[in-house]
Amino acid sequence: MNFRYLIFLGGIVSVSLFLTFCKSSGSVISPFESIQAPDDNPTTEAKIALGRSLFFDTRLSRNNTISCSTCHKPGLAFTDRLPKSIGIDGRKTDRNSPSLLNAGYLPTVMFDAHLETLEKQAIVPIQEHVEMDMNMKTLLAKLREIPEYQKAAKDIFDRDFDAWVLTRSLSAFQRSLISDNSDFDKFYYHSKKNALSKAEKRGWIIFSEKLYCTECHAPPYFTNYQPINNGLYEDFGEDKGRFRINSDSSDIGKFKVPSLRNVALTYPYMHDGSLTSLDEVISHYASGGENHVNKDKRIVSFTITAEERADLIEFLGSLTDMSFLDDF
């Protein structure tokens, strides 16, 4: 048996054991584990509510025009469908906005996979020149003068509104954004055999057993969270990926593998939004990618028929779950 398939089966066994535990303990079955918030930021409903208000507040930007939701719109699976996001004064960011759904499971944050927590990430776009361009000292003084924010800071954190309050509440809200009830989940984890069409089932077999996409996009999260070079370019130009963190040449072209959950909604694709459709993405991988010294060894060319391509795209569509919008 193919070694790669054995790895895949090992993952399936792990998931099966987890689901067996859930069933035997009487818990609601979910393909995900429980989110582990940092010890210094336990999740509460009040904290989530404050984070939600801040997330949609344009006052976090220098000229009151940009909020977190500008680039992460709920109705677009918390993306903006732009190749590269537009920040304050029309400034273009370096990269495509990733979805924030299931962000609470990220072991590292950002495409470079270098920030350890959502708390550390929260202040990055606020201070970034091309995004919200806000001076943190000025912002905190500004938010402290807003009665509802100052009161919430006192009630929840027993302190004046400060950077701790800002980062802890925003990250708590992001951890509340869960998408785990797609048609694929209903079929694969909840044993609803009719949840997927015949084409979607065929696409799943192609995805998992023919192309071994599960090596980088393993269920249930459909990512391995690792930064890899997927052969998108022979020359990555100005944005060399994780290389910009440690200037390690072996990191050139490495970007964190994104989750494929809701992938049918989160176009355009790749770190720079350069591929506009799932069909283009499949073509990229079928070609084996561009030659680059750091290209991951798993990126190899393959042959796929037009029918298989259509089935694969149908399967990817089955990973869509927008039920979280009930809360918005």
Side-chain angles (χ1 to χ4, degrees):
M1 184 178 292
N2 188 291
F3 177 69
R4 295 191 297 179
Y5 191 50
L6 284 173
I7 295 175
F8 168 69
L9 287 177
I12 299 302
V13 171
S14 296
V15 170
S16 298
L17 290 173
F18 170 66
L19 290 175
T20 299
F21 169 76
C22 289
K23 291 176 181 178
S24 64
S25 63
S27 302
V28 175
I29 298 175
S30 170
F32 297 164
E33 299 176 354
S34 298
I35 290 179
Q36 300 300 313
D39 291 340
D40 63 6
N41 191 25
T43 302
T44 67
E45 290 301 320
K47 204 178 291 183
I48 291 172
L50 175 56
R52 180 194 296 254
S53 295
L54 290 164
F55 187 86
F56 290 97
D57 197 334
T58 58
R59 289 174 292 187
L60 270 64
S61 64
R62 176 174 53 76
N63 63 0
N64 303 316
T65 61
I66 303 292
S67 71
C68 303
S69 64
T70 301
C71 299
H72 300 284
K73 305 178 189 298
L76 301 181
F78 285 91
T79 66
D80 59 11
R81 285 192 183 158
L82 297 174
K84 295 181 180 180
S85 296
I86 304 299
I88 196 168
D89 296 331
R91 299 168 187 168
K92 185 176 290 187
T93 63
D94 292 336
R95 295 173 177 174
N96 179 259
S97 287
S99 174
L100 297 182
L101 292 169
N102 305 320
Y105 296 100
L106 295 173
T108 57
V109 190
M110 310 292 275
F111 271 113
D112 300 316
H114 69 292
L115 295 180
E116 298 88 350
T117 66
L118 291 170
E119 284 77 9
K120 290 184 178 180
Q121 182 275 337
I123 61 174
V124 174
I126 294 173
Q127 299 181 103
E128 176 60 43
H129 174 69
V130 299
E131 296 188 50
M132 302 168 86
D133 195 27
M134 189 63 171
N135 176 275
M136 188 58 62
K137 184 177 180 180
T138 301
L139 174 62
L140 296 175
K142 179 181 180 180
L143 297 180
R144 203 173 293 131
E145 293 300 314
I146 299 173
E148 57 267 34
Y149 284 160
Q150 174 66 0
K151 182 178 186 301
K154 286 288 190 179
D155 291 345
I156 301 169
F157 297 94
D158 193 26
R159 61 200 295 162
D160 291 328
F161 198 105
D162 59 8
W164 182 274
V165 175
L166 177 66
T167 58
R168 268 60 190 172
S169 51
L170 278 172
S171 55
F173 170 66
Q174 291 184 67
R175 289 192 181 94
S176 74
L177 304 176
I178 304 297
S179 178
D180 65 352
N181 193 33
S182 67
D183 286 345
F184 175 80
D185 295 315
K186 295 170 186 174
F187 166 79
Y188 193 73
Y189 298 108
H190 302 172
S191 299
K192 296 182 179 180
K193 301 306 179 184
N194 295 324
L196 294 187
S197 68
K198 291 181 179 179
E200 290 168 338
K201 291 175 183 177
R202 291 195 300 266
W204 164 236
I205 297 300
I206 294 166
F207 181 88
S208 60
E209 296 183 24
K210 176 176 180 176
L211 302 180
Y212 302 103
C213 304
T214 48
E215 289 193 5
C216 293
H217 297 284
Y221 305 107
F222 284 92
T223 174
N224 61 8
Y225 301 110
Q226 298 301 310
I228 72 165
N229 181 320
N230 71 347
L232 186 60
Y233 299 115
E234 186 173 352
D235 180 357
F236 280 83
E238 293 185 3
D239 190 352
K240 293 178 170 56
R242 187 174 167 82
F243 170 79
R244 70 183 188 178
I245 303 302
N246 298 313
S247 297
D248 183 342
S249 61
S250 68
D251 282 337
I252 293 176
K254 290 186 178 180
F255 298 86
K256 185 169 61 181
V257 174
S259 172
L260 296 185
R261 285 183 172 271
N262 296 296
V263 69
L265 305 176
T266 58
Y267 54 87
Y269 306 107
M270 304 298 167
H271 70 277
D272 57 356
S274 58
L275 301 184
T276 61
S277 68
L278 289 174
D279 191 64
E280 288 186 9
V281 173
I282 293 171
S283 292
H284 162 71
Y285 287 112
S287 73
E290 299 291 337
N291 291 323
H292 191 281
V293 66
N294 294 334
K295 186 175 73 172
D296 192 279
K297 302 303 181 186
R298 292 167 290 190
I299 308 299
V300 294
S301 62
F302 58 82
T303 301
I304 188 171
T305 68
E307 181 180 2
E308 288 174 325
R309 181 183 291 251
D311 288 344
L312 181 57
I313 291 174
E314 287 294 311
F315 161 70
L316 293 172
S318 78
L319 300 178
T320 300
D321 166 36
M322 296 290 278
S323 60
F324 66 87
L325 282 177
D326 295 341
D327 296 327
F328 288 87

